[in-house]
Amino acid sequence: MLFALLLNSAPLHAITSDELRAAYLFNFAKHTQWPNEEQLEHFTIGFYPPQEDIGGVLMRAAQNKSLRGKPLMVENYESLSEASKAQLLVIGPQENDKLQEINRALSRSHTLLITDQARDPLHIMINFLAPQENTLTFEVHRPNIIYE
């Protein structure tokens, strides 16, 4: 991939935080299997509430991309009932104090929840962390994923 970037004639630019998060999200989806995967017409990465910045970055990157032979869709959701249709759902950091309620609403929907700097390990599946400026890491709470 680095080789392809070096051959590209466009000038290189620093990767933004949203571009990095979008790449992580695509890879999370790429390396996750859902129980009902065979019946899916497409894979959906959703945002609740809508997050235009990162959602827009991911939407542009997802054009003409597929995941295991199925189209990749990017959606913004205003309600949790609609958000339960997503296979991977990014919860905005402004909702971190509502994770218990969100988890309850999405229970048994087979939705992988991605949070951002959440502090409640009982309701975190994958959580972005920014331990220092200009760094991005993530933590995985595997039991929460398995028992979803």
Side-chain angles (χ1 to χ4, degrees):
M1 184 160 136
L2 180 59
F3 185 71
L5 287 174
L6 292 175
L7 291 178
N8 191 346
S9 60
L12 296 177
H13 72 280
I15 294 174
T16 67
S17 174
D18 287 337
E19 290 169 332
L20 184 57
R21 288 170 197 266
Y24 271 124
L25 293 172
F26 180 76
N27 279 305
F28 293 154
K30 185 174 158 183
H31 296 288
T32 302
Q33 290 184 322
W34 282 266
N36 59 345
E37 201 169 288
E38 309 80 40
Q39 288 94 22
L40 296 174
E41 292 179 21
H42 57 271
F43 286 96
T44 302
I45 297 177
F47 294 90
Y48 174 80
Q51 299 171 48
E52 300 301 327
D53 293 342
I54 187 173
V57 169
L58 189 59
M59 200 171 289
R60 286 187 296 280
Q63 286 179 350
N64 303 318
K65 291 250 189 303
S66 64
L67 195 58
R68 292 188 280 288
K70 299 177 187 219
L72 182 61
M73 309 291 289
V74 178
E75 300 285 343
N76 283 300
Y77 297 105
E78 297 283 347
S79 74
L80 288 173
S81 60
E82 285 292 312
S84 69
K85 297 174 184 175
Q87 282 68 55
L88 189 148
L89 184 64
V90 182
I91 307 297
Q94 69 273 30
E95 301 295 316
N96 283 346
D97 60 337
K98 299 175 187 164
L99 289 179
Q100 183 176 8
E101 172 188 328
I102 291 169
N103 267 303
R104 195 174 303 124
L106 298 175
S107 179
R108 304 290 175 227
S109 67
H110 305 295
T111 302
L112 178 63
L113 298 180
I114 311 296
T115 51
D116 193 342
Q117 300 186 53
R119 302 201 187 283
D120 184 356
L122 292 175
H123 300 102
I124 292 172
M125 292 182 182
I126 298 177
N127 187 40
F128 283 123
L129 302 170
Q132 299 172 328
E133 190 174 336
N134 296 323
T135 63
L136 182 65
T137 61
F138 63 91
E139 60 185 338
V140 177
H141 290 259
R142 193 167 185 263
N144 295 349
I145 296 170
I146 292 171
Y147 297 113
E148 193 314 284

